[in-house]
Amino acid sequence: QVQLVESGGGSVQAGGSLRLSCAASGYSYSFPYMGWFRQAPGKEREAVAAISHGGGSTYYADSVKGHFTISRDGGANTAYLQMHTLRPEDTAMYFCAAALRFGYPLRTSHYTYWGQGTQVTVSS
């Protein structure tokens, strides 16, 4: 059974940094995409970033370009999200996800497996 487990969330002041990790297990191949999504209270879940199976292609939401970096370990279904210059509007539950097909890396509906989430809180 595929499981994704996020870690690294916490509380940080505006302008600070956090690094999230996602460890996937139960799958023998490299997921075509792994992605990070977030959901703030009262809002829909939205894409943050995604990365292809070899790490050769990355995709970012406009709101985080230049501040967040997604990466992935070669040979393992492990993904990371390095977040710099965090803002209060980045406060959300952050979820790791994995897709079984290429196609739409920033579409929530494209992903099959989801982690339980890790909370990121940015104070001003």
Side-chain angles (χ1 to χ4, degrees):
Q1 184 175 5
V2 173
Q3 290 187 317
L4 278 64
V5 180
E6 304 97 333
S7 62
S11 297
V12 64
Q13 292 191 23
S17 300
L18 285 172
R19 186 174 190 250
L20 307 183
S21 298
C22 172
S25 62
Y27 190 67
S28 299
Y29 307 96
S30 180
F31 291 111
Y33 300 136
M34 295 188 72
W36 288 96
F37 298 78
R38 66 188 182 187
Q39 188 168 22
K43 294 186 177 181
E44 297 294 320
R45 190 169 299 185
E46 64 177 1
V48 176
I51 188 166
S52 63
H53 71 136
S57 297
T58 57
Y59 312 86
Y60 295 95
D62 288 342
S63 61
V64 304
K65 288 180 180 177
H67 300 277
F68 291 10
T69 302
I70 190 168
S71 60
R72 182 172 180 171
D73 281 348
N77 285 316
T78 303
Y80 307 92
L81 186 69
Q82 181 67 59
M83 305 184 291
H84 293 295
T85 56
L86 283 161
R87 308 172 180 89
E89 52 263 42
D90 294 318
T91 295
M93 184 73 76
Y94 282 71
F95 298 89
C96 179
L100 294 174
R101 301 285 185 270
F102 292 104
Y104 304 95
L106 295 179
R107 290 188 184 178
T108 301
S109 61
H110 189 69
Y111 288 78
T112 301
Y113 301 108
W114 293 84
Q116 64 183 1
T118 185
Q119 179 68 38
V120 172
T121 302
V122 184
S123 62
S124 60

